[in-house]
Amino acid sequence: MRRLPIERDPRHPFDPPPGLRGLPPMARLEMADGHLGWLATTLDAARAVLTDPRFSARQELKHPAVRSSAPGGPGRPAPPGFFAATDPPEHTRYRRLLTGQFTLRRMRLLEPRIERIAAGHLDAMAAAGPPADLVTAYALPIPSMVICELLGVPYADHAFFQDRSRELVTPDGDPRAASAALHAYLLDLVRRKREEPADDLLSGLTGELTDEELANVGLILLVAGHETTANMLALGVFALLREGRAYEEGMEEELLRRLSILHLGAPSRAALEDVEVAGVLVAEGETVALSLPMANHDPAVFPDPGALRPGRPEARRHLAFGHGVHQCLGQQLARNELRAGYRALFERFPGLRLAVPATEVPLRQDNAVYGVARLPVTWG
């Protein structure tokens, strides 16, 4: 029985893992705990699972495709506030509160601030001179600073939460210890916000949620708000430089589709009853994992899926931000950060290029997030 392959071919780093080639829309999969489940590999199959209320996001009902780093652990209910692992109506309550914090208008108001943050880091890169590691000098600090300011987390503590966030997703990390450390940090911060509220997201929700709920909401947003966007920003630059291309306006949607940085078979869902998907019967209690790289490279939806085509009309059908009621709350913020980050970088350094051969750029093959561990670049 097939285990979930996540390793990508370094010679073709932007394609889905080669071990997934040739699979049917719904393929049998052995989960990390030995249970048998399914892997959805096409866009239609993945969307069907994500929109059908007969599938649950509750982690105590699911079997993990790979080692789980979810707070509470597999087989146990998610702690209060961990809305990503809940179903309606509980999920609806959290989602309604948070949607007001991520309105399109509010995200647009953040655009000038994002542009200033990007410009400041480009100034620092220029002053230091080439070469530079684009991950630490640019890709990671931008979303980290933005999410810190949005939540009201002191950026002076960024090294702490970045290190703990990395432990949550790396194969050799200690996800339970990292999750506990982040939770304790945020719980203390939430209590301080109650005593001295400020103009930030955490302060704005203190009247609606308990300390425990708000700390876990903050944990999800803090980790997701910098880990995924930072990897997407760096991997997108690597993809462009590897192909000798510069950023074109609107290219971020096609990069999101082609690169698919969430690659572990997540999100996943548990069947609450027998459900037919793509011609196969998923039995009650079985877990369906989703291969986002395969769905985003579905040739039936995206012709010549391995090609990077700016302006591809169907690009926005990608699942980089999920689909259905659990679709990413911060997707517009991420789009703004990517757009501003790519545009400012290539405008400031039109001669930007890799400082090492592309084959020597170390790939980050974590359980959860795909990217580059370092990206040495030079210019001028």
Side-chain angles (χ1 to χ4, degrees):
M1 184 60 59
R2 183 185 301 273
R3 284 289 185 102
L4 181 67
I6 64 172
E7 293 289 327
R8 302 200 194 184
D9 187 344
R11 297 167 298 176
H12 306 283
F14 313 123
D15 294 340
L20 297 178
R21 292 174 187 160
L23 295 182
M26 291 287 287
R28 265 302 189 187
L29 181 70
E30 181 182 349
M31 299 296 169
D33 59 5
H35 282 80
L36 295 185
W38 299 90
L39 181 68
T41 66
T42 65
L43 188 74
D44 285 347
R47 281 176 171 248
V49 172
L50 291 174
T51 55
D52 194 324
R54 294 174 294 177
F55 285 103
S56 173
R58 289 162 55 192
Q59 69 184 32
E60 73 270 25
L61 303 180
K62 299 189 295 183
H63 299 282
V66 295
R67 185 188 63 163
S68 174
S69 61
R76 286 182 283 179
F82 204 79
F83 61 91
T86 60
D87 294 336
E90 184 181 7
H91 173 265
T92 308
R93 180 175 77 91
Y94 291 121
R95 185 87 182 191
R96 186 178 295 118
L97 290 173
L98 289 166
T99 298
Q101 304 290 330
F102 287 92
T103 62
L104 184 60
R105 177 180 177 276
R106 189 167 187 175
M107 295 304 102
R108 283 177 175 165
L109 291 174
L110 282 174
E111 289 180 13
R113 178 58 182 151
I114 296 171
E115 291 169 356
R116 289 195 298 272
I117 290 172
H121 285 88
L122 291 173
D123 289 344
M125 284 175 59
D133 173 14
L134 199 76
V135 172
T136 57
Y138 190 69
L140 187 55
I142 293 174
S144 293
M145 289 188 73
V146 172
I147 196 63
C148 281
E149 292 185 7
L150 188 64
L151 292 178
V153 174
Y155 186 67
D157 297 337
H158 71 281
F160 166 79
F161 69 75
Q162 285 171 3
D163 290 345
R164 301 294 84 73
S165 297
R166 186 64 56 90
E167 290 242 347
L168 288 175
V169 296
T170 52
D172 57 351
D174 187 344
R176 294 200 178 190
S179 179
L182 281 169
H183 179 268
Y185 169 85
L186 286 163
L187 192 60
D188 178 68
L189 181 64
V190 165
R191 288 166 178 164
R192 284 186 276 138
K193 295 290 182 185
R194 286 197 189 279
E195 296 175 0
E196 298 180 17
D199 185 18
D200 55 59
L201 188 150
L202 291 179
S203 296
L205 292 175
T206 53
E208 306 288 346
L209 300 173
T210 67
D211 290 355
E212 179 77 8
E213 287 177 309
L214 194 48
N216 284 317
V217 166
L219 191 155
I220 294 176
L221 298 178
L222 185 63
V223 174
H226 80 273
E227 187 72 27
T228 52
T229 307
N231 277 277
M232 185 62 220
L233 187 53
L235 190 64
V237 172
F238 179 43
L240 294 175
L241 297 183
R242 195 172 188 268
E243 298 186 5
R245 304 174 68 167
Y247 171 72
E248 300 174 36
E249 203 65 33
M251 188 181 272
E252 58 276 359
E253 291 300 331
E254 177 68 344
L255 287 169
L256 283 161
R257 179 202 67 81
R258 188 184 176 198
L259 302 182
S260 301
I261 61 167
L262 295 179
H263 67 157
L264 83 169
S268 62
R269 297 289 186 266
L272 298 174
E273 58 184 83
D274 292 354
V275 186
E276 184 176 312
V277 180
V280 305
L281 185 66
V282 179
E284 179 182 351
E286 289 185 329
T287 296
V288 179
L290 311 179
S291 173
L292 299 191
M294 291 295 289
N296 287 340
H297 281 241
D298 187 342
V301 182
F302 310 105
D304 193 10
L308 184 64
R309 294 181 178 175
R312 185 191 289 265
E314 66 278 4
R316 270 188 174 262
R317 295 192 65 193
H318 66 72
L319 297 180
F321 297 115
H323 189 61
V325 297
H326 282 276
Q327 194 169 34
C328 177
L329 274 166
Q331 60 180 290
Q332 193 55 48
L333 175 62
R335 286 187 170 102
N336 291 348
E337 291 171 333
L338 293 173
R339 187 182 306 114
Y342 291 139
R343 181 172 57 212
L345 176 67
F346 283 92
E347 286 180 356
R348 183 67 172 270
F349 300 124
L352 190 73
R353 60 190 185 276
L354 295 174
V356 298
T359 53
E360 294 181 14
V361 174
L363 298 176
R364 179 180 166 187
Q365 302 266 25
D366 298 342
N367 278 352
V369 181
Y370 180 69
V372 291
R374 297 184 305 280
L375 188 61
V377 296
T378 188
W379 58 89

